[in-house]
Amino acid sequence: MSRPLPTDVPRPEYPRPQFARTAWLNLNGRWQFEVDRSDSGLERGLRDRDLSGVITVPFCPESELSGIGDTDFMEAVWYRRTVTVPAEWAGSEVLLHFGAVDHDTTVWVNGTEVARHRGGFTPFTAELRGIAAPGEEAVIVVRARDSRHGPQARGKQATWYANTHCHYTRTTGIWQTVWLEPVPTGARFKRPRITPDLGSAAFHLELPVTANPPGHRVRAILADERGEVVRAEARADLDLCPRLVLTLPQDRVRTWSPADPHLYDVRLQLLDAEGTVVDEAMSYAGLRSVALHGRRILLNGEPVFQRLVLDQGYYPDGLMTAPSDADLVRDIELGLRAGFNGARLHQKVFEERYLYHADRLGYLVWGEFGDWGCETGVRDDNQRPDASYVTQWLEALERDHSHPSIIGWCPLNETYQHLHDRITGLDDVTRAMFLATKQADPSRPVIDASGYAHRVPETDVYDSHCYEQDVEAFAKTMTGLAEDRPYVNTGPEGRTWSVPYRGQPYFCSEFGGIWWDSAAADTAAGDETDTSWGYGERPRSAEEVIARLTGLVNVLLDDPDMFGYCYTQLTDVFQERNGLYGFDRSEKFDTAVLRSVQQRTAAYETAD
């Protein structure tokens, strides 16, 4: 049964909408908290005593919404909370879930270590069997280490004190929902994977279970607004991952697309030998296909031009955590209002609620990892991502596989290193992340690294980043694609960063970034208090911004071989004032004009 939630719980909505059980307990809210500047807290006894402060979870201590707002460096932070596991969960095992904690986390419950996890973007779970049963108290203690030193997947978080250029205030510790969940004591579902197969008008379901008792079966029931469409069953006592195929009758086939983001409901059941349902969860699915044909990426067999916007998912008061679920919806609606049909989710694994809203609103998404943070400063071996990059990325792929809005994967962004005759750690990890993505999900295209250093010859997609502001120069730069000579990012003095282009689908995945801050524009030239920035010379008026944007967009819309673009960016972020909206999501331009600029037919959409 569901447990009523206190009305003062921040971010009270269910955090895992594509694998939803009915019973759960949200643990957001007030926790004891203490900063551990030198990471000596374990030796000083912080694990075993009350902490000196209070924080509002799930907001990080650097954020205003946490109630702390401390933006100095924190080598480690500690959390403590005592909860009573609901007695009505008697007969169940209890799981403790963390949506995301940055960066290296250890969790103790009632004095026993129950989890360790590295990575600030992906979820993890602790089993409380034998530690805290229904009706008992659970004293939860969390230590999160977040050093600024050494290689670490940080995304846009600064490793120096102040916000500078395109690096922003850090996020330390818990920044997504913490929650308890009762699950069956015997066999139960693990995270399901739902893959659409439009060619067969079917969904392929992988339903991993924790055990295979004799006589157990899995069942899936697909429904639409008219009721049940199809169901299927399979034995669950032979394979750790039973598989089902749900084939739709032709009169119930309805594809998912930006024009019609139709979702089917999916009920998943695990039955014992007597036919009793012992575990049940709700999910949903969208029937759509993604295909490659020459330089084209086809959605449901059609060339849909991808008018994408760069979205970094930062908020003035919550940093990487949206203040509310409505804020996630608003960001998608802002993109749609300005004429975009999707986004690159940039340098951050967005929380799953965002993807849920993208699914239901028909917003195309490229999933990305927050890989920045492995710079060494060593010439020709200047980036050294480690094995944890691959581990964290695989966790993200597992979490997000079934979301129809995701139409491509981007494990790395703007890796830059001279391509020479020695294999480096960057080469190894780039290839490992590409191969891991293809193995985990062969249904979507993968770009080995967005912009800069393409180091995998067989990458599905090739791209470039170009912030040239002069429209004529930009047009000249972007020529050559039809002759297999597209623009390719190079290093200083033209040094080669990438393997050659091999005819893949190609797009300019970052451009624009036009600097515009109306308040700063009124500031006297040379005023050192103006720390805002954007790309190119700052325009003198909003009308000049629109004229420049229109010219740049037209160059890409007029290229019949360009499958899309990604404009930088949706909103300003701190001092980076190159968004189409303000950091507070206020309008900077007439969105009707922005929409009209983008909505004219692209040459790609009409080319033979």
Side-chain angles (χ1 to χ4, degrees), residues 6-55:
T7 57
D8 61 347
V9 171
R11 298 302 307 272
E13 60 281 345
Y14 192 81
R16 196 183 60 193
Q18 212 170 28
F19 181 35
R21 295 187 176 98
T22 55
W24 70 295
L25 178 63
N26 192 320
L27 298 186
N28 292 342
R30 290 169 60 86
W31 289 56
Q32 292 183 22
F33 179 78
E34 191 164 326
V35 176
D36 184 5
R37 299 281 182 200
S38 58
D39 191 15
S40 60
L42 189 62
E43 293 88 339
R44 293 186 291 110
L46 294 192
R47 182 187 63 185
D48 304 313
R49 66 160 172 81
D50 285 342
L51 304 178
S52 60
V54 174
I55 191 171

Side-chain angles (χ1 to χ4, degrees), residues 10 27-31 55-59 66 79 174 176-178:
L27 298 186
N28 292 342
R30 290 169 60 86
W31 289 56
I55 191 171
T56 300
V57 169
F59 302 108
S66 71
Y79 299 79
I174 297 170
Q176 289 186 30
T177 292
V178 184

